[in-house]
């Protein structure tokens, strides 16, 4: 049972997370899931909740970033053709709660490294883009995105930067689009329309989405919040360790 103080924490934490993730073209589902999982909610509740917020926030992020950069359309289509059915398939699978937390803990390592700028940003491709490599990436990332309940951008964006296929702005735009469409596929696959989401979770969504809209706007304008990002990194690191060891 979540106490009133914990609900208050959610009303503060989720909007901050949405703001920060949207500022780099992400939806924030991994951290929504982290908080809700640590509070003891079941995967069948938190997956559709996180995906709904992810859909809205990632769409707003894509809308803002597409104003500042030309989206690599061909690459986006190649990735999405294979990721969407894989995300739907992953969404149909409901895994045991403890395994779910372990997998989520591992997934959280990606946004930690992303915010720390650990992944190198190559200006020239280190691997030439061909017909099958985007397909493999789309299938793999899409499946795990649907399985966990994320859009997949936290995995896709560092891979794109590492391969040198896109620059920072292009990565943010294509990741936001990738998250938006795959979150829809994962939500449908998880039978989200039939899930009875609690009224408390419904009330969290509007303020989280508004915060995401603000983050997308400021992120597209190169706005930077180093101190808050540092705090977020600390929280994500703690939660990742806790979920992996749980």
């Amino acid at each position: 049972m979540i106490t009133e103080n914990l609900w208050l924490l959610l009303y503060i934490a989720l909007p901050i997370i949405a703001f920060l993730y949207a500022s780099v073209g992400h939806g924030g589902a991994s951290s929504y899931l982290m908080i809700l999982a640590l509070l003891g909610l079941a995967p069948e509740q938190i997956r559709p909740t996180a995906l709904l917020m992810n859909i809205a926030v990632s769409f707003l992020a894509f809308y803002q970033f597409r104003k500042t950069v030309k989206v690599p359309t061909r690459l986006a289509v190649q990735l999405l053709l294979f990721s969407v059915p894989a995300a739907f398939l992953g969404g149909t699978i409901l895994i045991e709660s403890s395994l779910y937390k372990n997998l989520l803990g591992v997934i959280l390592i990606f946004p930690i490294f992303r915010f720390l700028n650990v992944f190198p940003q190559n200006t020239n491709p280190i691997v030439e883009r061909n017909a099958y490599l985007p397909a493999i990436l789309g299938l793999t990332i899409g499946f795990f995105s649907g399985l966990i309940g994320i859009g997949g951008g936290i995995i896709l964006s560092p891979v794109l930067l590492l391969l040198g296929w896109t620059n920072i702005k292009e990565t943010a735009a294509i990741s936001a689009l990738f998250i938006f469409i795959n979150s829809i596929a994962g939500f449908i696959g998880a039978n989200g329309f039939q899930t009875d989401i609690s009224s408390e979770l419904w009330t969290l969504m509007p303020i989280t989405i508004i915060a995401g809209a603000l983050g997308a706007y400021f992120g597209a304008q190169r706005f930077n919040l180093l101190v808050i990002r540092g705090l977020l990194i600390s929280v994500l690191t703690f939660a990742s360790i806790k979920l992996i060891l749980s």
Side-chain angles (χ1 to χ4, degrees):
M1 183 70 178
I2 301 179
T3 65
E4 289 186 8
N5 288 337
L6 288 177
W7 279 115
L8 178 61
L9 174 63
L10 284 176
Y11 276 94
I12 297 171
L14 291 188
I16 292 175
I17 288 168
F19 182 96
L20 291 171
Y21 272 72
S23 72
V24 293
H26 291 173
S30 59
S31 288
Y32 308 149
L33 292 168
M34 168 199 75
I35 293 175
L36 297 175
L38 288 174
L39 292 178
L41 275 75
E44 57 267 25
Q45 269 277 318
I46 65 178
R47 274 205 308 177
T49 301
L51 285 169
L52 279 175
M53 292 188 286
N54 221 34
I55 290 166
V57 173
S58 60
F59 173 78
L60 294 168
F62 176 68
Y63 175 78
Q64 290 295 338
F65 277 98
R66 66 181 286 274
K67 295 179 182 178
T68 64
V69 68
K70 180 176 173 59
V71 181
T73 306
R74 183 179 178 184
L75 176 59
V77 170
Q78 288 176 316
L79 290 166
L80 289 169
L81 277 175
F82 292 90
S83 66
V84 170
F88 175 84
L89 176 62
T92 64
I93 302 171
L94 185 62
I95 56 180
E96 193 267 330
S97 181
S98 62
L99 176 59
Y100 180 83
K101 290 181 179 180
N102 295 156
L103 289 173
L104 179 57
V106 173
I107 291 293
L108 285 176
I109 294 172
F110 284 90
I112 293 169
F113 285 170
R114 177 69 178 88
F115 282 118
L116 284 172
N117 293 319
V118 169
F119 297 102
Q121 300 167 12
N122 294 301
T123 55
N124 297 311
I126 62 171
V127 177
E128 290 300 322
R129 200 166 79 227
N130 49 45
Y132 64 85
L133 194 51
I136 294 172
L137 286 176
L139 280 170
T140 305
I141 298 174
F143 177 76
F144 281 103
S145 298
L147 182 69
I148 301 298
I150 60 175
I154 57 171
I155 305 173
L156 178 66
S157 60
V159 172
L160 292 179
L161 292 172
L162 178 64
L163 293 173
W165 290 356
T166 52
N167 60 34
I168 294 290
K169 287 287 187 178
E170 290 171 340
T171 298
I174 199 170
S175 293
L177 178 62
F178 187 87
I179 293 165
F180 172 64
I181 295 179
N182 282 296
S183 293
I184 294 174
F187 181 79
I188 296 172
N191 205 21
F193 290 110
Q194 303 300 320
T195 303
D196 185 19
I197 299 174
S198 69
S199 58
E200 291 87 355
L201 291 175
W202 277 113
T203 59
L204 277 169
M205 293 186 194
I207 59 172
T208 302
I209 292 168
I210 291 170
L214 292 172
Y217 172 77
F218 286 113
Q221 304 300 320
R222 296 175 180 258
F223 190 64
N224 200 354
L225 289 175
L226 293 178
V227 175
I228 299 181
R229 286 189 185 187
L231 293 173
L232 180 58
I233 289 167
S234 300
V235 172
L236 290 174
T237 303
F238 170 79
S240 177
I241 295 171
K242 182 174 178 60
L243 287 168
I244 291 172
L245 296 178
S246 64

